[in-house]
PDB file of all heavy atoms in Angstrom:
ATOM      1  N   PRO A 327       7.776  -6.537  11.940  1.00  0.00           N
ATOM      2  CA  PRO A 327       8.274  -5.744  13.074  1.00  0.00           C
ATOM      3  C   PRO A 327       8.552  -4.298  12.698  1.00  0.00           C
ATOM      4  O   PRO A 327       8.365  -3.396  13.522  1.00  0.00           O
ATOM      5  CB  PRO A 327       9.552  -6.480  13.496  1.00  0.00           C
ATOM      6  CG  PRO A 327       9.902  -7.382  12.368  1.00  0.00           C
ATOM      7  CD  PRO A 327       8.636  -7.710  11.657  1.00  0.00           C
ATOM      8  N   GLU A 328       8.988  -4.050  11.454  1.00  0.00           N
ATOM      9  CA  GLU A 328       9.268  -2.671  11.059  1.00  0.00           C
ATOM     10  C   GLU A 328       7.972  -1.862  10.968  1.00  0.00           C
ATOM     11  O   GLU A 328       7.951  -0.647  11.243  1.00  0.00           O
ATOM     12  CB  GLU A 328      10.021  -2.637   9.717  1.00  0.00           C
ATOM     13  CG  GLU A 328       9.238  -3.068   8.492  1.00  0.00           C
ATOM     14  CD  GLU A 328       8.989  -4.577   8.402  1.00  0.00           C
ATOM     15  OE1 GLU A 328       9.586  -5.341   9.188  1.00  0.00           O
ATOM     16  OE2 GLU A 328       8.199  -4.971   7.520  1.00  0.00           O
ATOM     17  N   VAL A 329       6.875  -2.526  10.581  1.00  0.00           N
ATOM     18  CA  VAL A 329       5.577  -1.860  10.542  1.00  0.00           C
ATOM     19  C   VAL A 329       5.150  -1.470  11.953  1.00  0.00           C
ATOM     20  O   VAL A 329       4.694  -0.350  12.206  1.00  0.00           O
ATOM     21  CB  VAL A 329       4.519  -2.773   9.889  1.00  0.00           C
ATOM     22  CG1 VAL A 329       3.102  -2.220  10.098  1.00  0.00           C
ATOM     23  CG2 VAL A 329       4.811  -2.922   8.399  1.00  0.00           C
ATOM     24  N   ARG A 330       5.318  -2.367  12.892  1.00  0.00           N
ATOM     25  CA  ARG A 330       4.912  -2.094  14.271  1.00  0.00           C
ATOM     26  C   ARG A 330       5.749  -0.972  14.878  1.00  0.00           C
ATOM     27  O   ARG A 330       5.233  -0.140  15.634  1.00  0.00           O
ATOM     28  CB  ARG A 330       5.001  -3.374  15.098  1.00  0.00           C
ATOM     29  CG  ARG A 330       4.061  -4.463  14.585  1.00  0.00           C
ATOM     30  CD  ARG A 330       4.086  -5.701  15.468  1.00  0.00           C
ATOM     31  NE  ARG A 330       3.293  -6.769  14.868  1.00  0.00           N
ATOM     32  CZ  ARG A 330       3.002  -7.910  15.460  1.00  0.00           C
ATOM     33  NH1 ARG A 330       3.459  -8.151  16.695  1.00  0.00           N
ATOM     34  NH2 ARG A 330       2.274  -8.830  14.856  1.00  0.00           N
ATOM     35  N   GLU A 331       7.037  -0.918  14.549  1.00  0.00           N
ATOM     36  CA  GLU A 331       7.880   0.176  15.039  1.00  0.00           C
ATOM     37  C   GLU A 331       7.402   1.515  14.494  1.00  0.00           C
ATOM     38  O   GLU A 331       7.361   2.519  15.210  1.00  0.00           O
ATOM     39  CB  GLU A 331       9.338  -0.071  14.661  1.00  0.00           C
ATOM     40  CG  GLU A 331      10.037  -1.107  15.518  1.00  0.00           C
ATOM     41  CD  GLU A 331      10.023  -0.734  17.002  1.00  0.00           C
ATOM     42  OE1 GLU A 331      10.223   0.457  17.333  1.00  0.00           O
ATOM     43  OE2 GLU A 331       9.791  -1.630  17.832  1.00  0.00           O
ATOM     44  N   ARG A 332       7.039   1.522  13.213  1.00  0.00           N
ATOM     45  CA  ARG A 332       6.546   2.759  12.610  1.00  0.00           C
ATOM     46  C   ARG A 332       5.218   3.172  13.249  1.00  0.00           C
ATOM     47  O   ARG A 332       4.991   4.372  13.488  1.00  0.00           O
ATOM     48  CB  ARG A 332       6.377   2.569  11.098  1.00  0.00           C
ATOM     49  CG  ARG A 332       5.942   3.837  10.376  1.00  0.00           C
ATOM     50  CD  ARG A 332       5.810   3.601   8.880  1.00  0.00           C
ATOM     51  NE  ARG A 332       5.160   4.734   8.235  1.00  0.00           N
ATOM     52  CZ  ARG A 332       4.744   4.746   6.972  1.00  0.00           C
ATOM     53  NH1 ARG A 332       4.936   3.661   6.210  1.00  0.00           N
ATOM     54  NH2 ARG A 332       4.148   5.810   6.462  1.00  0.00           N
ATOM     55  N   VAL A 333       4.357   2.200  13.541  1.00  0.00           N
ATOM     56  CA  VAL A 333       3.091   2.499  14.216  1.00  0.00           C
ATOM     57  C   VAL A 333       3.356   3.126  15.574  1.00  0.00           C
ATOM     58  O   VAL A 333       2.746   4.135  15.949  1.00  0.00           O
ATOM     59  CB  VAL A 333       2.234   1.221  14.366  1.00  0.00           C
ATOM     60  CG1 VAL A 333       1.066   1.468  15.323  1.00  0.00           C
ATOM     61  CG2 VAL A 333       1.709   0.763  13.007  1.00  0.00           C
ATOM     62  N   ARG A 334       4.282   2.550  16.332  1.00  0.00           N
ATOM     63  CA  ARG A 334       4.603   3.094  17.658  1.00  0.00           C
ATOM     64  C   ARG A 334       5.082   4.541  17.553  1.00  0.00           C
ATOM     65  O   ARG A 334       4.691   5.405  18.349  1.00  0.00           O
ATOM     66  CB  ARG A 334       5.662   2.224  18.335  1.00  0.00           C
ATOM     67  CG  ARG A 334       5.090   1.036  19.106  1.00  0.00           C
ATOM     68  CD  ARG A 334       6.163   0.302  19.888  1.00  0.00           C
ATOM     69  NE  ARG A 334       6.871  -0.638  19.039  1.00  0.00           N
ATOM     70  CZ  ARG A 334       6.495  -1.920  18.865  1.00  0.00           C
ATOM     71  NH1 ARG A 334       5.438  -2.394  19.494  1.00  0.00           N
ATOM     72  NH2 ARG A 334       7.176  -2.718  18.072  1.00  0.00           N
ATOM     73  N   ALA A 335       5.915   4.802  16.564  1.00  0.00           N
ATOM     74  CA  ALA A 335       6.430   6.166  16.390  1.00  0.00           C
ATOM     75  C   ALA A 335       5.310   7.136  16.021  1.00  0.00           C
ATOM     76  O   ALA A 335       5.248   8.273  16.533  1.00  0.00           O
ATOM     77  CB  ALA A 335       7.519   6.174  15.315  1.00  0.00           C
ATOM     78  N   ASP A 336       4.400   6.691  15.146  1.00  0.00           N
ATOM     79  CA  ASP A 336       3.297   7.564  14.730  1.00  0.00           C
ATOM     80  C   ASP A 336       2.331   7.838  15.877  1.00  0.00           C
ATOM     81  O   ASP A 336       1.740   8.925  15.959  1.00  0.00           O
ATOM     82  CB  ASP A 336       2.547   6.938  13.548  1.00  0.00           C
ATOM     83  CG  ASP A 336       3.332   7.028  12.243  1.00  0.00           C
ATOM     84  OD1 ASP A 336       4.352   7.750  12.213  1.00  0.00           O
ATOM     85  OD2 ASP A 336       2.936   6.378  11.263  1.00  0.00           O
ATOM     86  N   LEU A 337       2.147   6.863  16.752  1.00  0.00           N
ATOM     87  CA  LEU A 337       1.281   7.079  17.897  1.00  0.00           C
ATOM     88  C   LEU A 337       1.852   8.145  18.836  1.00  0.00           C
ATOM     89  O   LEU A 337       1.109   8.896  19.471  1.00  0.00           O
ATOM     90  CB  LEU A 337       1.074   5.773  18.666  1.00  0.00           C
ATOM     91  CG  LEU A 337       0.196   4.725  17.978  1.00  0.00           C
ATOM     92  CD1 LEU A 337       0.233   3.415  18.751  1.00  0.00           C
ATOM     93  CD2 LEU A 337      -1.239   5.217  17.858  1.00  0.00           C
ATOM     94  N   VAL A 338       3.170   8.221  18.900  1.00  0.00           N
ATOM     95  CA  VAL A 338       3.825   9.215  19.756  1.00  0.00           C
ATOM     96  C   VAL A 338       3.849  10.584  19.091  1.00  0.00           C
ATOM     97  O   VAL A 338       3.515  11.604  19.700  1.00  0.00           O
ATOM     98  CB  VAL A 338       5.256   8.770  20.110  1.00  0.00           C
ATOM     99  CG1 VAL A 338       5.996   9.890  20.843  1.00  0.00           C
ATOM    100  CG2 VAL A 338       5.228   7.506  20.960  1.00  0.00           C
TER     101      VAL A 338
END
Side-chain angles (χ1 to χ4, degrees):
E328 69 287 350
V329 168
R330 298 184 186 188
E331 283 302 319
R332 183 179 169 190
V333 168
R334 273 187 277 270
D336 286 349
L337 288 172
V338 172

